[in-house]
Amino acid sequence: MKILTKIFIGIFIFIIIYFSFNALTTNPNLLNESDSLTYHIPIAESILKGNILNPPNLSHGLGFYPAVGEVILSIFILLGIPLGFFNIVAIIILFFVLKILSDEYGINKYVSNIFSVSVITLNSIIRLIPNQTIDIWLLIFFSLALLFIKKFENEKLKSLLPLGLSLGLIIGVKYSGLVYLLILFLVYFKVIFKKINIKNLIYLFLPILTIGGFWYFRNYLLINNPFYPINILGFTGSSDFQLVETYKPLLTSNGLYLFVEALISEYLIWVLIPIFLFISKSKINKSLIVISVLNFIPFLFFPSDFSRQIITSNMRFLYVSIMPLILLCFISVENTKFEKLLYILSLLSSISILSQFNYYPKLILFWLTIFILIYTNHKK
């Protein structure tokens, strides 16, 4: 198990080194990722200029999006850090958050490393690392919320302030965070409010209203629509913000085919999770299943179209649905005869994504990773 864990850690280190090299040798304009250039970077630059209360006038009203992620991005701009490191920092944070989360669910320290790297090496996550999109950060905040809920349930956390902070970040990073917040409250209502008092109510809701709610209050004051540019709940959105909900392409045979194709290409073996859960015959954590299923529902209403590129790109909206399922899978197969099989398949899945990296500098950086692992092991 120790050797297998070191292989996973080696893969993780290699990914960090590889994308760090890319971050130092490329820039957003060279990569030409649409969302990063269209609104993530412009919003961050606007915030840096002190225009947090005066969103930039971007196409489709995108400047009014909640901007916790762009606040973080603006710090990179302020410090002169290459923007390619934005999501490199994110996956490093995500690794440790997932590791602590899995520890809290009773997974041993070696397997928790395997779980964390397995999530980070999802093809859909790897695709976003060079960009300045904020979906990985949303997964971080969602994972933190699950962690603090579990700690509160295990009576290792007496204050709801950390949970309030993570929930505030969730709704402050994307509009969809509001739905995820409601889902977390729905599924874990008894856990969160079992020992509630005035102090914990303040700790819980003050960060939600300030960190997350700020962006909605700002939009309402500026344009009478807290969810601008979206037309929703009777609020008038931007006239050029047109949505084609994801479920509409899925109702066509070609759209459904493209969805299944994208799901397999972006999540590889993890589309087999239901089979693992069925054959393991272990006690299933129902809350994680419910969270995963409920988090899938909003995905059906996210903007999409009928193209392969967009449908594949939209697989990133499933992070908060897939991650709990992967966690559940690791929990369920532990100490069963399928445990080693899961780890081997996880390894194959993690290794397979390396094939898409450029041959140069992949080979050099691979050997650099090997050297680092040998050196650190020798030092120990």
Side-chain angles (χ1 to χ4, degrees):
M1 183 62 71
K2 290 183 179 180
I3 295 176
L4 186 60
T5 300
K6 287 181 179 179
I7 294 174
F8 274 92
I9 295 298
I11 293 172
F12 179 61
I13 293 173
F14 171 75
I15 289 170
I16 298 299
I17 294 174
Y18 178 87
F19 283 105
S20 294
F21 178 87
N22 281 351
L24 293 170
T25 56
T26 61
N27 60 63
N29 289 320
L30 285 174
L31 295 175
N32 198 31
E33 197 279 320
S34 176
D35 287 354
S36 301
L37 296 176
T38 302
Y39 62 98
H40 291 301
I41 295 175
I43 291 175
E45 291 173 339
S46 176
I47 291 171
L48 201 56
K49 293 175 182 177
N51 295 327
I52 198 166
L53 295 176
N54 184 27
N57 183 22
L58 304 178
S59 62
H60 309 297
L62 299 179
F64 286 84
Y65 273 4
V68 162
E70 286 76 13
V71 169
I72 299 171
L73 182 59
S74 70
I75 297 173
F76 282 74
I77 298 174
L78 177 65
L79 297 178
I81 301 172
L83 299 189
F85 283 99
F86 178 65
N87 277 327
I88 294 174
V89 171
I91 64 167
I92 293 172
I93 295 173
L94 181 61
F95 172 83
F96 288 104
V97 171
L98 292 176
K99 179 173 171 54
I100 298 170
L101 174 64
S102 56
D103 288 343
E104 197 62 37
Y105 273 87
I107 296 177
N108 73 63
K109 63 179 182 179
Y110 298 114
V111 179
S112 65
N113 286 323
I114 297 175
F115 161 70
S116 301
V117 177
S118 295
V119 173
I120 287 169
T121 53
L122 292 171
N123 205 23
S124 185
I125 287 181
I126 293 295
R127 288 182 189 275
L128 295 193
I129 294 176
N131 306 329
Q132 289 72 51
T133 49
I134 42 78
D135 301 273
I136 299 175
W137 290 93
L138 173 61
L139 180 57
I140 291 172
F141 303 146
F142 185 83
S143 301
L144 280 172
L146 279 182
L147 170 62
F148 294 134
I149 289 172
K150 189 63 178 176
K151 279 184 173 291
F152 194 69
E153 182 181 22
N154 293 341
E155 298 185 346
K156 295 180 180 179
L157 195 68
K158 294 184 178 180
S159 170
L160 286 177
L161 180 60
L163 177 59
L165 290 170
S166 59
L167 293 175
L169 291 168
I170 287 174
I171 69 171
V173 75
K174 295 188 81 169
Y175 282 133
S176 57
L178 275 173
V179 182
Y180 302 136
L181 178 144
L182 293 175
I183 290 172
L184 286 169
F185 274 161
L186 176 65
V187 176
Y188 293 104
F189 183 85
K190 290 183 179 179
V191 174
I192 296 172
F193 295 98
K194 67 177 180 179
K195 295 181 180 178
I196 202 68
N197 53 45
I198 297 298
K199 185 178 180 180
N200 264 338
L201 274 176
I202 295 173
Y203 281 159
L204 179 63
F205 286 103
L206 186 60
I208 293 175
L209 294 174
T210 52
I211 298 174
F214 164 80
W215 310 99
Y216 302 83
F217 295 141
R218 179 201 66 178
N219 290 354
Y220 182 76
L221 291 174
L222 292 177
I223 207 162
N224 296 320
N225 180 355
F227 313 106
Y228 194 83
I230 304 172
N231 286 286
I232 193 171
L233 300 177
F235 293 105
T236 302
S238 173
S239 58
D240 61 350
F241 188 86
Q242 301 297 324
L243 288 178
V244 176
E245 293 88 349
T246 296
Y247 75 85
K248 291 180 179 178
L250 294 184
L251 295 177
T252 67
S253 57
N254 185 57
L256 183 59
Y257 169 78
L258 291 176
F259 169 77
V260 173
E261 178 188 68
L263 192 65
I264 294 172
S265 75
E266 298 303 285
Y267 293 108
L268 301 174
I269 70 154
W270 300 111
V271 298
L272 302 175
I273 288 176
I275 298 176
F276 266 103
L277 296 179
F278 177 76
I279 64 177
S280 68
K281 296 181 180 179
S282 300
K283 186 177 180 181
I284 301 297
N285 186 306
K286 294 180 181 178
S287 295
L288 288 176
I289 288 184
V290 173
I291 281 286
S292 180
V293 172
L294 292 180
N295 281 352
F296 178 81
I297 295 174
F299 167 78
L300 298 174
F301 299 92
F302 289 157
S304 184
D305 67 15
F306 294 81
S307 71
R308 173 180 277 107
Q309 179 181 355
I310 296 299
I311 291 176
T312 301
S313 174
N314 283 1
M315 290 297 106
R316 69 189 191 275
F317 299 146
L318 289 176
Y319 290 169
V320 294
S321 182
I322 295 294
M323 185 279 291
L325 275 183
I326 297 177
L327 175 60
L328 180 61
C329 199
F330 274 86
I331 294 171
S332 300
V333 303
E334 195 167 20
N335 299 321
T336 71
K337 61 182 179 180
F338 301 104
E339 185 177 13
K340 290 183 179 179
L341 175 61
L342 176 64
Y343 302 156
I344 292 171
L345 291 177
S346 300
L347 179 60
L348 293 175
S349 178
S350 296
I351 290 175
S352 68
I353 59 97
L354 303 180
S355 62
Q356 64 185 286
F357 295 176
N358 292 331
Y359 182 78
Y360 175 82
K362 178 170 65 177
L363 193 60
I364 297 173
L365 298 181
F366 172 78
W367 286 110
L368 176 60
T369 304
I370 297 296
F371 172 78
I372 292 173
L373 289 172
I374 293 174
Y375 178 77
T376 53
N377 187 64
H378 175 72
K379 291 287 285 185
K380 289 180 181 179

